[in-house]
């Protein structure tokens, strides 16, 4: 494996990020199914720190790759990040280095510009199983289910080895266990066994952030997690649609009525305080961009705290020409003008809405609208 990949993107915008800070390389680790570890979503920061099957996480966390990545934060280049995809960069939400210097855990290291950190990551992102009950075209060409055999045993062993530093260390500091951005927690045997087997009373330092398509988050599965209910800090539901017709296109294999029933129950749990944060997500693409405003309305109706958007990423599930056909923000796309018109809807300016890495595009759309408007005369 090469030490470092190329800068994040050959066409990333020239942004001056000097004096800004990203917390991910100072607190986050993502585990993929092969055992490869990243310090952020691999679509946003595509350079891996190494593989937990070949070295301990402690060694990887302060290894040469992570030290280089942290240097790129300190010098303001962020050269290993995809500036065009990272929602914090796109939203202008990166905190300052001065703020980071006051952080209770890594602040002293940042102030000294150290690239080695004394503590393990506090955000543990499990993306090591792609098993899912759906086959969304934006993510995969077919349904994936790993429940037995060598592949499952390897996945379970890698996960157990990886989590050992947190679950079996009595003095481990607070950490968040995020499950999952790679598939669905309740379609995955390895995640189900983890979630249903944990007793949160044994891990008072652990918070659980659930990310799911929501179809299998039934009352029965919610009850099976009863022993970790107090540990659950957030639930993210990936919908990608505001109507059943669009959902049938974007979320293959799902069931809209079941999903809506589950989401309404989650909204009730949120109102009762059993869930601390409930967010609904939409991966924007050709099939659903016209429903962006309606999606925000639906997320609010379902009791969510936020409607979050991100644009489609090329995971290799379509041939390149087909992928580009799904991206109305591309120059020359037949829906290009209509897409930017949708982005000017005032409903998307609501604080309830987080446009993620579409924020810059909305700003462009508003500027286009101003440029096209006739000048007023006095």
């Amino acid at each position: 494996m090469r030490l470092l990949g190329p800068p994040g993107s050959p066409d990333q915008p020239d942004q001056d990020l000097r004096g800004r800070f990203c917390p991910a390389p100072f607190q986050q680790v993502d585990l993929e199914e092969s055992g490869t570890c990243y310090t952020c979503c691999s679509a946003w920061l595509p350079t891996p720190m190494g593989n937990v099957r070949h070295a301990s996480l402690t060694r990887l966390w302060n290894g040469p790759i992570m030290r280089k990545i942290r240097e790129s934060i300190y010098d303001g280049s962020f050269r290993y990040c995809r500036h065009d995809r990272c929602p914090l960069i796109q939203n202008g939400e990166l905190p300052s280095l001065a703020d980071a210097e006051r952080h209770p855990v890594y602040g002293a290291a940042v102030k000294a510009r150290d690239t080695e950190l004394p503590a393990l990551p506090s955000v543990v992102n499990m993306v090591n199983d792609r098993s899912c009950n759906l086959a969304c075209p934006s993510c995969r060409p077919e349904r994936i289910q790993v429940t037995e055999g060598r592949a499952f045993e390897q996945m379970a062993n890698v996960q157990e080895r990886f989590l050992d530093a947190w679950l079996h260390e009595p003095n481990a500091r607070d950490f968040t266990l995020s499950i999952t951005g790679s598939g669905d927690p309740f379609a995955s045997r390895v995640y189900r066994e983890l979630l249903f087997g944990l007793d949160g009373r044994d891990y008072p330092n652990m918070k659980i952030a659930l990310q799911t398509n929501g179809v299998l988050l039934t009352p029965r599965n919610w009850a099976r997690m009863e022993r970790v209910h107090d540990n659950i800090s957030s639930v993210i539901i990936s919908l990608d649609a505001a109507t059943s017709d669009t959902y049938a296109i974007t979320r293959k294999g799902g069931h809209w009525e079941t999903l809506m029933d589950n989401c309404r129950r989650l909204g009730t749990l949120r109102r009762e305080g059993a869930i601390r944060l409930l967010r609904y997500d939409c991966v924007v693409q050709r099939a659903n961009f016209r429903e962006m405003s309606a999606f925000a309305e639906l997320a609010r109706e379902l009791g969510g705290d936020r409607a979050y958007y991100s644009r489609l990423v090329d995971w290799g599930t379509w041939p390149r020409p087909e992928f580009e056909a799904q991206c109305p923000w591309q120059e020359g796309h037949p829906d290009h003008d209509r897409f930017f018109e949708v982005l000017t809807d005032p409903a998307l300016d609501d604080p309830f809405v987080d446009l993620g890495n579409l924020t810059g595009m909305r700003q462009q759309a508003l500027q286009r609208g101003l440029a096209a408007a006739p000048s007023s005369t006095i």
Side-chain angles (χ1 to χ4, degrees):
M1 182 177 65
R2 63 174 182 248
L3 176 63
L4 288 168
S9 168
D11 60 349
Q12 67 187 33
D14 183 16
Q15 301 187 57
D16 186 358
L17 299 176
R18 289 173 296 181
R20 311 315 297 178
F21 178 79
C22 176
F26 296 80
Q27 66 180 19
Q28 179 173 330
V29 60
D30 290 21
L31 174 70
E32 297 203 343
E33 57 191 296
S34 65
T36 299
C37 297
Y38 292 81
T39 190
C40 184
C41 172
S42 59
W44 302 343
L45 201 165
T47 301
M49 66 176 77
N51 192 299
V52 75
R53 294 167 60 195
H54 306 143
S56 69
L57 181 64
T58 301
R59 181 177 172 187
L60 297 178
W61 184 238
N62 283 315
I65 295 175
M66 287 303 298
R67 295 201 301 270
K68 287 289 186 182
I69 290 174
R70 292 178 187 125
E71 284 177 6
S72 77
I73 305 299
Y74 291 143
D75 66 26
S77 68
F78 290 71
R79 60 186 175 275
Y80 303 108
C81 304
R82 284 294 302 260
H83 293 209
D84 60 330
R85 290 181 178 174
C86 171
L88 292 180
I89 293 176
Q90 287 287 307
N91 281 350
E93 292 179 348
L94 288 172
S96 68
L97 273 169
D99 289 340
E101 290 173 359
R102 295 189 287 271
H103 192 274
V105 176
Y106 51 71
V110 173
K111 190 170 185 177
R113 301 298 187 262
D114 287 340
T115 57
E116 294 190 31
L117 305 178
L120 283 172
S122 60
V123 178
V124 185
N125 191 19
M126 310 299 294
V127 288
N128 54 299
D129 186 5
R130 300 185 66 218
S131 295
C132 190
N133 52 310
L134 306 186
C136 306
S138 61
C139 179
R140 62 198 66 203
E142 59 188 8
R143 186 174 173 183
I144 297 172
Q145 203 82 46
V146 182
T147 59
E148 59 185 2
R150 183 176 178 182
F152 173 78
E153 294 299 330
Q154 176 177 303
M155 188 185 305
N157 290 336
V158 166
Q159 178 172 290
E160 182 178 3
R161 177 177 178 179
F162 177 78
L163 290 177
D164 184 71
W166 291 276
L167 297 183
H168 300 149
E169 173 53 60
N171 297 318
R173 65 188 179 91
D174 292 352
F175 70 98
T176 296
L177 186 63
S178 177
I179 307 174
T180 173
S182 60
D184 188 85
F186 306 102
S188 161
R189 178 185 168 188
V190 72
Y191 293 145
R192 286 197 310 269
E193 291 181 354
L194 176 64
L195 289 168
F196 299 163
L198 286 174
D199 189 333
R201 293 170 297 183
D202 296 333
Y203 309 105
N205 56 323
M206 176 184 65
K207 296 177 182 176
I208 297 175
L210 286 177
Q211 185 171 352
T212 168
N213 60 55
V215 176
L216 296 178
L217 188 44
T218 59
R220 180 174 181 267
N221 279 334
W222 178 259
R224 294 177 74 184
M225 293 193 300
E226 182 179 7
R227 292 185 299 174
V228 294
H229 281 179
D230 289 343
N231 300 82
I232 294 175
S233 59
S234 62
V235 178
I236 296 174
I237 308 293
S238 301
L239 293 184
D240 295 357
T243 64
S244 59
D245 288 345
T246 300
Y247 182 77
I249 298 170
T250 60
R251 311 295 281 176
K252 296 288 187 181
H255 192 270
W256 180 255
E257 289 76 16
T258 298
L259 174 64
M260 290 296 101
D261 287 344
N262 292 343
C263 289
R264 291 186 187 99
R265 281 191 293 269
L266 291 172
T268 298
L269 290 171
R270 176 66 186 97
R271 287 190 295 274
E272 294 172 349
I275 296 174
R276 300 169 208 171
L277 175 69
L278 178 60
R279 193 182 87 185
Y280 291 98
D281 283 13
C282 181
V283 175
V284 177
Q285 52 200 280
R286 181 181 62 181
N288 64 13
F289 78 88
R290 293 174 178 83
E291 296 182 0
M292 289 181 67
S293 299
F295 180 83
E297 294 176 12
L298 177 64
R300 196 189 300 274
E301 176 190 324
L302 293 173
D305 296 283
R306 187 68 55 87
Y308 179 81
Y309 302 80
S310 60
R311 59 190 166 112
L312 191 68
V313 171
D314 186 2
W315 298 113
T317 56
W318 281 298
R320 187 65 190 183
E322 290 186 35
F323 170 77
E324 291 178 349
Q326 312 304 318
C327 305
W329 48 87
Q330 299 272 23
E331 292 287 347
H333 192 284
D335 292 321
H336 183 78
D337 291 342
R338 177 61 180 143
F339 171 74
F340 278 90
E341 181 183 342
V342 166
L343 284 179
T344 64
D345 190 326
L348 298 178
D349 198 35
D350 192 302
F352 180 81
V353 170
D354 186 342
L355 285 174
N357 56 22
L358 290 163
T359 300
M361 292 185 181
R362 172 170 163 80
Q363 294 169 350
Q364 293 174 29
L366 293 172
Q367 290 169 0
R368 289 184 184 188
L370 287 173
S375 337
S376 60
T377 57
I378 300 177

